Amino acid sequence: MKLMEEFLIAQFDISFIDVSAYIGLTAAGIMTLNLFIGLLLSVHYNTELRWPHRRLPLLELHKWSGYSALFISLLHPAWLPLAKAANYTVLAVFFPFITREQPILTSLGALAAYTLIFVVVTAYLRNRFKYTLWKKLHYASYVVIGSFLVHGIFTEPSLKQNAVIDYLDGGKLFIEACALVCVSLVVWRVTYGTKLRAFNAAQQPEAPSWRGELVIHSIIDLRDDVKMFRLVNPRGGDLPFTFLPGQSLRFRLKQDDSVFTRSYSICSAPDSKIFCDIAVKRTSDGKGSAYLYSMTQVGQLLTCDGPHGTFTFTGAGSDGVVLIAGGIGLTPLLSIVRHLVNQKWPHDVFLLFAVSTPAHGLFEEELHALAERYRHFHYLILPSRIDGTEWPGPSGRLQSSHLVELAPQIARLPVYLCGPEPMMAATIFSLRSLGVEEAQIHTESFGGAIIHDDALRAATIFFAKSKKTGLVTAGGTLLDAAEEYGVPIESLCRTGVCGTCKVQLISGEVKMHTDTSLTARDIRDNLVLACQARPTTSKIEIAC
């Protein structure tokens, strides 16, 4: 090795210290590039819709630039123990604070290397973490780039004590330029993020302040088992509330002596201020749909409140969107499509509508007309089976290939998914296989999952506040029992997502197959979700 260094010095005037320095400069450049790509990914930058107007695999570039930065940064100090003039030991490569040559600054370089190992390993294993936890861990990237650049700027290249640093040297100028670029990128990202959060906060719906009545203006049969109800202000004029595309109304329905609530997504656009539409599918076990189908007529008043929900998209802060609907789950997404078309949103809107058979489609003529009118709208109706009918497009279960064919850039776009829970679970799996991050996926489910669990049993339930006693069937929820016996419990999604139906469990035991909307404090206070809680003991008491 000494002979090799002597040869390099004699032929090229380059020592092993110089080799280490050049490798360090390369690492700094790649780290800067990696930071740049990472920040583009964090704002969902779309290279097809923006410059350079062609598809670039940003996620792959970010990943491999990270791997390259790690390899080169580890290679950077490996030459120092071989350098005659460095007086640097192998142990000092791993623990540079023991060296006499600028121990603090060289230790910053080691900190960057060790932290980069942590960042790369956790990124490689990110699917084993919750997204929010992994995102916090990934912030260590800023420690990497910051400590490495400080190390590069203030370390004297020859590693000699008391040597004067030439900050106008070519290598120093390159590091300084990287530092300036990185600082500018971070300032831009912080500024952009602040503006985006402020904008989104302004777009978020406030707590519903409206509760009142709407009158049924008309009822339209969309299909044998789907009706659309057009609702207007009984006093005429505009609706007494405003809503965002994707939100819902909660209806208080009375049957016999019991009052129960059901929520239905608004499928009309908020631009139509004088009416709102809901589309309701008749199901065999649907108490709300049974009421609306058999107990209502044109001119009847319905008591409701809202609007509710955060499953909304107005186009703000995005360069495109993918909408995936299953069956009646089309309704909130149709509101989004109609709004974007009305606003002439200048970005691509991709809609995939999965149905059982071609006969189960909804709003097909309108979807076709919207695609003709608005060149940014692309849609695919995907029947799972065609039952011998002639169907010009693809069919079968929703697959990753269908998503990529419809929206090639799906990995970088926000995805809004609404439909039955089994369909949503399978679709989320496909989205993850395509590299769609969890934070990009927004969901709204229709109807709870069918639960089969041997631990569940029928129970006597006592409603402490209402002083009523009833029976919960095996597998039935506390919310089902409350509605049957006329005990008011506020509810919205009925899938365990919104947390509206929290009640305190006084005695007995229940099982919840979804409890993500419960906080640690809720659990300590023995709160449960009435729409998810099913008895596992023969007696239950709740505080309502």
Side-chain angles (χ1 to χ4, degrees):
M1 283 297 190
K2 291 183 179 179
L3 292 176
M4 182 182 293
E5 184 177 29
E6 291 174 357
F7 173 78
L8 289 174
I9 293 173
Q11 294 294 321
F12 305 104
D13 193 25
I14 296 176
S15 67
F16 280 168
I17 292 180
D18 296 326
V19 173
S20 175
Y22 295 147
I23 293 174
L25 293 174
T26 304
I30 295 177
M31 286 182 187
T32 303
L33 176 64
N34 180 263
L35 176 68
F36 174 60
I37 298 174
L39 293 180
L40 289 180
L41 288 172
S42 72
V43 299
H44 306 302
Y45 186 85
N46 192 312
T47 60
E48 288 187 285
L49 298 175
R50 293 184 175 182
W51 188 89
H53 301 291
R54 62 189 181 91
R55 188 179 185 186
L56 292 179
L58 290 183
L59 187 62
E60 289 295 309
L61 290 173
H62 183 60
K63 179 174 70 175
W64 287 104
S65 62
Y67 293 157
S68 301
L70 176 60
F71 173 76
I72 295 173
S73 64
L74 294 178
L75 191 63
H76 165 57
W79 298 86
L80 297 179
L82 307 175
K84 291 171 58 177
N87 192 26
Y88 214 83
T89 65
V90 174
L91 186 61
V93 172
F94 298 95
F95 306 103
F97 56 83
I98 68 173
T99 186
R100 292 178 298 174
E101 287 80 8
Q102 305 176 76
I104 296 178
L105 291 172
T106 50
S107 293
L108 279 177
L111 173 64
Y114 288 134
T115 309
L116 184 54
I117 293 173
F118 170 79
V119 169
V120 171
V121 170
T122 53
Y124 183 77
L125 300 174
R126 68 184 181 275
N127 290 332
R128 301 188 181 185
F129 299 95
K130 288 186 176 180
Y131 177 79
T132 52
L133 174 59
W134 172 79
K135 187 175 180 181
K136 292 177 181 178
L137 296 177
H138 206 64
Y139 284 135
S141 303
Y142 294 105
V143 176
V144 174
I145 192 70
S147 55
F148 195 83
L149 290 174
V150 172
H151 160 80
I153 291 174
F154 296 104
T155 300
E156 205 287 315
S158 66
L159 296 180
K160 295 179 181 178
Q161 291 183 343
N162 301 320
V164 177
I165 300 176
D166 181 7
Y167 290 104
L168 297 180
D169 173 75
K172 292 297 182 186
L173 288 174
F174 178 79
I175 293 287
E176 291 158 5
C178 288
L180 181 61
V181 169
C182 289
V183 170
S184 300
L185 287 172
V186 171
V187 170
W188 166 78
R189 181 62 182 90
V190 171
T191 303
Y192 179 88
T194 301
K195 291 181 178 178
L196 184 61
R197 284 190 295 272
F199 185 87
N200 287 339
Q203 296 295 311
Q204 287 297 320
E206 298 179 355
S209 57
W210 178 82
R211 173 176 291 181
E213 292 180 323
L214 296 177
V215 64
I216 300 176
H217 175 271
S218 57
I219 303 175
I220 302 172
D221 291 321
L222 300 178
R223 217 171 58 193
D224 289 344
D225 59 345
V226 178
K227 292 181 183 289
M228 187 178 76
F229 297 80
R230 174 155 295 182
L231 308 174
V232 298
N233 190 337
R235 297 176 180 81
D238 290 350
L239 293 169
F241 58 86
T242 59
F243 63 95
L244 295 177
Q247 288 191 298
S248 62
L249 290 174
R250 177 169 54 194
F251 294 83
R252 302 181 69 85
L253 307 175
K254 185 175 182 180
Q255 188 171 15
D256 298 328
D257 294 330
S258 65
V259 176
F260 61 98
T261 61
R262 289 294 185 269
S263 293
Y264 296 102
S265 294
I266 302 171
C267 60
S268 55
D271 315 84
S272 305
K273 298 182 183 300
I274 63 172
F275 68 86
C276 64
D277 297 335
I278 60 170
V280 181
K281 179 181 179 181
R282 177 69 183 266
T283 58
S284 58
D285 58 348
K287 191 174 181 180
S289 63
Y291 177 88
L292 291 173
Y293 272 58
S294 60
M295 306 293 289
T296 60
Q297 58 187 355
V298 172
Q300 182 172 335
L301 293 172
L302 294 177
T303 301
C304 51
D305 61 74
H308 297 280
T310 58
F311 184 74
T312 62
F313 182 79
T314 61
S318 181
D319 292 326
V321 66
V322 177
L323 311 172
I324 305 173
I328 198 64
L330 176 68
T331 52
L333 302 182
L334 184 61
S335 177
I336 293 173
V337 170
R338 287 167 162 169
H339 173 70
L340 296 177
V341 171
N342 290 339
Q343 297 298 313
K344 296 182 173 58
W345 195 56
H347 304 297
D348 285 326
V349 180
F350 302 96
L351 171 66
L352 192 151
F353 182 23
V355 295
S356 298
T357 69
H360 286 83
L362 291 169
F363 301 100
E364 292 180 67
E365 292 184 3
E366 180 180 357
L367 293 177
H368 180 74
L370 290 175
E372 290 287 326
R373 164 187 164 196
Y374 176 58
R375 66 182 181 86
H376 294 291
F377 178 51
H378 318 274
Y379 77 98
L380 170 66
I381 298 177
L382 181 68
S384 58
R385 63 184 191 279
I386 56 177
D387 293 341
T389 60
E390 291 188 7
W391 181 253
S395 61
R397 295 290 182 184
L398 196 157
Q399 304 290 336
S400 303
S401 57
H402 296 130
L403 297 171
V404 173
E405 184 177 354
L406 176 66
Q409 66 271 44
I410 190 171
R412 296 271 46 89
L413 294 178
V415 177
Y416 286 75
L417 171 61
C418 184
E421 287 192 354
M423 169 264 183
M424 291 175 58
T427 304
I428 290 173
F429 180 83
S430 296
L431 290 170
R432 288 173 177 167
S433 72
L434 295 174
V436 180
E437 297 288 348
E438 185 176 344
Q440 296 168 237
I441 304 173
H442 310 267
T443 61
E444 179 104 313
S445 59
F446 274 55
I450 298 174
I451 303 298
H452 301 283
D453 192 324
D454 292 338
L456 305 179
R457 60 189 302 175
T460 301
I461 183 169
F462 179 65
F463 303 97
K465 185 177 179 180
S466 302
K467 305 296 183 183
K468 291 185 178 182
T469 301
L471 178 68
V472 188
T473 58
T477 67
L478 304 188
L479 181 59
D480 292 335
E483 291 180 342
E484 182 176 353
Y485 294 101
V487 177
I489 295 180
E490 293 295 323
S491 64
L492 184 57
C493 71
R494 305 182 74 89
T495 59
V497 175
C498 69
T500 305
C501 64
K502 294 177 185 178
V503 295
Q504 186 178 35
L505 181 66
I506 299 175
S507 64
E509 295 182 5
V510 298
K511 189 169 185 178
M512 291 178 288
H513 293 75
T514 298
D515 63 355
T516 53
S517 60
L518 291 177
T519 65
R521 182 174 181 178
D522 291 337
I523 295 172
R524 287 195 302 271
D525 293 341
N526 216 29
L527 296 183
V528 297
L529 300 173
C531 73
Q532 295 296 304
R534 295 169 169 86
T536 58
T537 57
S538 60
K539 292 184 178 180
I540 297 291
E541 182 177 356
I542 60 176
C544 63

